[in-house]
Amino acid sequence: MASNNRGHFSSRLGFIMAAAGSAVGLGNVWGFPTKAASNGGAAFLVIYLAMVFLLAFPMLVAELTIGRHGQSNPIASLRTIWTKNRAAAGLFGLIAMIAASMILSFYSILAGWLMGFAAAPALEVVGLQSAADWLVNFGGARNVVLAVLFSLLTILVVQKGVADGIEKWSTRLMPMLFVLFAVMIAYIFTQDGAMEGLKMYLIPDISHITPSLMVDAMGQAFFSLSLGVGSMMVYGSYLQKEVNIPKTAGQVAAIDTGVALAAGLLILPAMFVAKNNGVQIFNDAGQLMSSGDLVFAVLPAMFDTMGGIGVILGIGFFVLMVIAALTSSISLLEVPVSCAQDELKMERNTATWLIGGAILIVSIVISLNFGALFGLVADISTVYMQPLLGVVWAIVVGWIWNRNNLLNELKEGNPDIAQGLFWKIWPWYVRIVCPVAIMTVFLFSIL
Ligand code: TRP
């Protein structure tokens, strides 16, 4: 049952939308602008672009190729390559599953907040001011309620499977997000102060380029492209053999980076517009105030300046953000669900509810102990597990996978690949440069 009747993406566009859906999420719209704004703007932008192109993109190709080769869940896919050490394949597959579950457990909380921000303006309009305030202000009960709602959405989509759930929703909703971004960027540049933000975003000050900025930029690039924890492996396994993997990976990376850049182009100018309108965004020492809340403070302030249309745009924006988060969260839940489905021979429905429910319980525990647990879970999964698992995948592809078999997998969908530039560089690059570079940046981050 493992490989014959599993779902596939029905078209290449469907796959690109789904993989881009996984990649585009809170990382782009919340993480990237926040990190750029607190790391000197343009300096972060430049290093981030380098990290995406030099490290994240080659690793995206590696993960998609492992998955497409295995045509199965990450554990089984790794086993088809790591034939001599099936236990190691199982172990690292399991660690990836745990990392994906941990990321989902904190991601649902953040995504829940976005649901609150989407609903609040509508409640305000009908006069339910105190309900609206409850939704947008930090609180344990509010965190729990919203995380439960978001988790249920994630479970319902994943339960529906690949073509009907994941692909259908990604293809419909991603384009709407792009259009809305364009509209908001156009608007923000009609406002006073926007140019100041644009300058910060585009004129690099190289004194900001420090080891810690490099660490942040790599982490952000890996998070944004959904690397390390098996999301892209499992999506690759639903990919048809006719598809050219390097090209498709390039398109996914380009869409993801485009959305992050657009988010920066919106948020940094919006920060200065907000400042112009009296919202305090820098403290007396000139540092960015509570950077985590930046996006949540600045965007509603922007919508407020827009009058009636602002209410509509605000609701629209946060609804689409919830959707972007949803197309990401489903790629996280899909990792443990696909493993349980094949390895434990569980029904998809059962696996989705059981695992989704267990992760939700973790989210609730984190919500109620936010100060102690949120940063901890986020750090363990994204600062430690994601890069280390990335190194393992680079070793699997670069050292363990027989070079000819790897070439044969990439030749499907790209028959002439052996003659091209990609094949001249990528194999040794993933073998040597990726593990060394990821390890180097990682060691900086923990020292
Ligand atoms: N990339 C998504 C974002 O930017 C989040 C995400 C989905 C993710 N799947 C992942 C992050 C796997 C790390 C690993 O919001």
Side-chain angles (χ1 to χ4, degrees), residues 313-330:
L313 275 186
I315 296 173
F317 177 78
F318 282 109
V319 167
L320 285 177
M321 276 316 300
V322 171
I323 289 155
L326 187 62
T327 55
S328 298
S329 64
I330 55 185

Side-chain angles (χ1 to χ4, degrees), residues 19-29 99-100 103 106-107 220-232 256 324-325 327-333 335 381-382 386:
S22 165
V24 173
L26 302 177
N28 303 62
V29 181
I103 293 178
F106 76 80
Y107 203 83
Q220 180 60 33
F222 271 55
F223 189 87
S224 198
L225 282 180
S226 305
L227 296 176
V229 307
S231 283
M232 287 301 180
D256 182 64
T327 55
S328 298
S329 64
I330 55 185
S331 76
L332 288 160
L333 184 55
V335 175
S381 52
T382 64
Q386 256 193 300

Side-chain angles (χ1 to χ4, degrees), residues 127-447:
L128 295 172
Q129 187 65 40
S130 57
D133 290 344
W134 185 79
L135 282 176
V136 299
N137 285 309
F138 190 89
R142 165 259 202 175
N143 290 349
V144 171
V145 169
L146 292 172
V148 169
L149 287 175
F150 183 79
S151 302
L152 288 177
L153 277 180
T154 306
I155 290 172
L156 288 174
V157 177
V158 170
Q159 187 196 357
K160 279 207 158 285
V162 176
D164 238 25
I166 298 174
E167 176 178 346
K168 199 163 162 195
W169 285 97
S170 304
T171 315
R172 281 188 193 157
L173 300 168
M174 292 289 293
M176 286 173 61
L177 184 70
F178 303 154
V179 173
L180 204 71
F181 257 118
V183 171
M184 298 197 333
I185 292 170
Y187 171 79
I188 204 71
F189 279 100
T190 66
Q191 300 295 302
D192 289 340
M195 279 302 159
E196 211 180 325
L198 186 66
K199 273 192 206 131
M200 176 178 178
Y201 191 43
L202 293 182
I203 303 174
D205 168 0
I206 48 172
S207 70
H208 276 108
I209 301 180
T210 57
S212 94
L213 181 145
M214 314 260 276
V215 170
D216 272 5
M218 183 181 88
Q220 180 60 33
F222 271 55
F223 189 87
S224 198
L225 282 180
S226 305
L227 296 176
V229 307
S231 283
M232 287 301 180
M233 247 180 241
V234 75
Y235 274 26
S237 78
Y238 300 124
L239 198 52
Q240 288 137 339
K241 291 283 182 187
E242 303 86 73
V243 169
N244 177 338
I245 297 184
K247 180 173 156 204
T248 307
Q251 288 165 332
V252 170
I255 294 175
D256 182 64
T257 308
V259 174
L261 296 187
L265 198 56
L266 173 69
I267 307 277
L268 275 83
M271 267 167 55
F272 287 88
V273 173
K275 181 176 155 221
N276 227 19
N277 294 337
V279 179
Q280 195 182 8
I281 59 166
F282 292 104
N283 63 18
D284 296 337
Q287 275 157 346
L288 206 60
M289 310 241 322
S290 63
S291 59
D293 306 342
L294 179 76
V295 172
F296 295 120
V298 159
L299 287 178
M302 174 183 100
F303 296 126
D304 276 350
T305 65
M306 299 169 80
I309 190 88
V311 176
I312 296 168
L313 275 186
I315 296 173
F317 177 78
F318 282 109
V319 167
L320 285 177
M321 276 316 300
V322 171
I323 289 155
L326 187 62
T327 55
S328 298
S329 64
I330 55 185
S331 76
L332 288 160
L333 184 55
E334 183 66 20
V335 175
V337 166
S338 68
C339 289
Q341 211 186 341
D342 302 338
E343 301 294 311
L344 305 176
K345 304 271 174 277
M346 271 193 201
E347 288 289 328
R348 189 175 184 89
N349 274 347
T350 324
T352 310
W353 281 100
L354 266 177
I355 297 171
I359 296 172
L360 173 56
I361 293 174
V362 178
S363 299
I364 293 174
V365 173
I366 297 175
S367 294
L368 296 175
N369 301 277
F370 194 87
L373 291 182
F374 186 89
L376 185 70
V377 174
D379 276 356
I380 293 175
S381 52
T382 64
V383 178
Y384 293 87
M385 297 173 95
Q386 256 193 300
L388 291 178
L389 286 164
V391 172
V392 176
W393 310 153
I395 291 171
V396 169
V397 170
W399 296 85
I400 292 167
W401 204 340
N402 171 291
R403 192 62 63 95
N404 261 324
N405 296 346
L406 172 60
L407 179 59
N408 284 337
E409 181 59 42
L410 283 167
K411 267 187 181 164
E412 309 239 22
N414 191 356
D416 303 325
I417 193 168
Q419 281 79 50
L421 188 62
F422 182 82
W423 183 253
K424 293 199 174 62
I425 297 174
W426 183 77
W428 63 262
Y429 195 86
V430 171
R431 187 178 166 101
I432 316 254
V433 179
C434 287
V436 171
I438 299 170
M439 269 322 275
T440 311
V441 179
F442 173 73
L443 288 176
F444 264 115
S445 75
I446 57 171
L447 291 178

